[in-house]
Amino acid sequence: MSQVPDLAPPPASWRRGTALGVPGLVLLGAVLSVLSAAFSADTFHDCHYFGPSLRMHIFGWAGLCAGLAAPVLYAVLHRGALRRGWAPALSRASGPALALLVLGVLPLLFEAFVVWTLYAPDPAGGHDCSGLAYALGGRGPHPAG
């Protein structure tokens, strides 16, 4: 029978990278996507639809990239620890990072939805202020004549 050698615990730098990097990327992705949705007022100006602004594109894509980078960072740190002979499962940083990574699937779906909305067609149908935003703005239809 071959014995498995005892694995050493990972160093503090690895634990910091796992404990702060992975949850930080999940939260950064969610915040950037919310900011992209907050700039939705940039699409209309004086009853003309201009489409998503550059700010919406930058924050939407940055949020999605940060959300996708979190599982990649976790996988890289985990595999690197195993290659060096460390036991990543024994650290207190790996468990919460993995739990937040699993919970980060919902923000990741939201980030993908935000990017999808950047390329969706005009919700008003291309008729400027005739859509629902015009009716909700407190202005009724134009008087005849």
Side-chain angles (χ1 to χ4, degrees):
M1 285 187 145
S2 66
Q3 276 189 326
V4 176
D6 291 335
L7 298 175
S13 62
W14 183 90
R15 291 191 302 264
R16 272 193 304 273
T18 304
L20 298 176
V22 174
L25 283 173
V26 170
L27 293 176
L28 179 68
V31 167
L32 288 173
S33 293
V34 168
L35 282 176
S36 174
F39 294 132
S40 64
D42 293 349
T43 58
F44 281 95
H45 184 63
D46 292 333
C47 290
H48 294 288
Y49 180 72
F50 288 114
S53 67
L54 182 63
R55 291 190 297 184
M56 292 174 70
H57 279 278
I58 290 172
F59 282 101
W61 279 105
L64 183 61
C65 289
L68 290 173
V72 171
L73 176 66
Y74 184 80
V76 165
L77 288 172
H78 191 77
R79 290 195 63 173
L82 291 176
R83 283 186 183 162
R84 289 177 177 85
W86 302 333
L90 297 178
S91 72
R92 286 185 280 162
S94 183
L98 184 60
L100 194 60
L101 191 62
V102 170
L103 292 176
V105 170
L106 290 176
L108 188 61
L109 292 174
F110 174 69
E111 293 155 9
F113 177 74
V114 166
V115 171
W116 177 79
T117 59
L118 292 174
Y119 300 100
D122 177 12
H127 300 294
D128 292 335
C129 287
S130 64
L132 184 61
Y134 183 72
L136 293 176
R139 297 178 292 224
H142 296 293

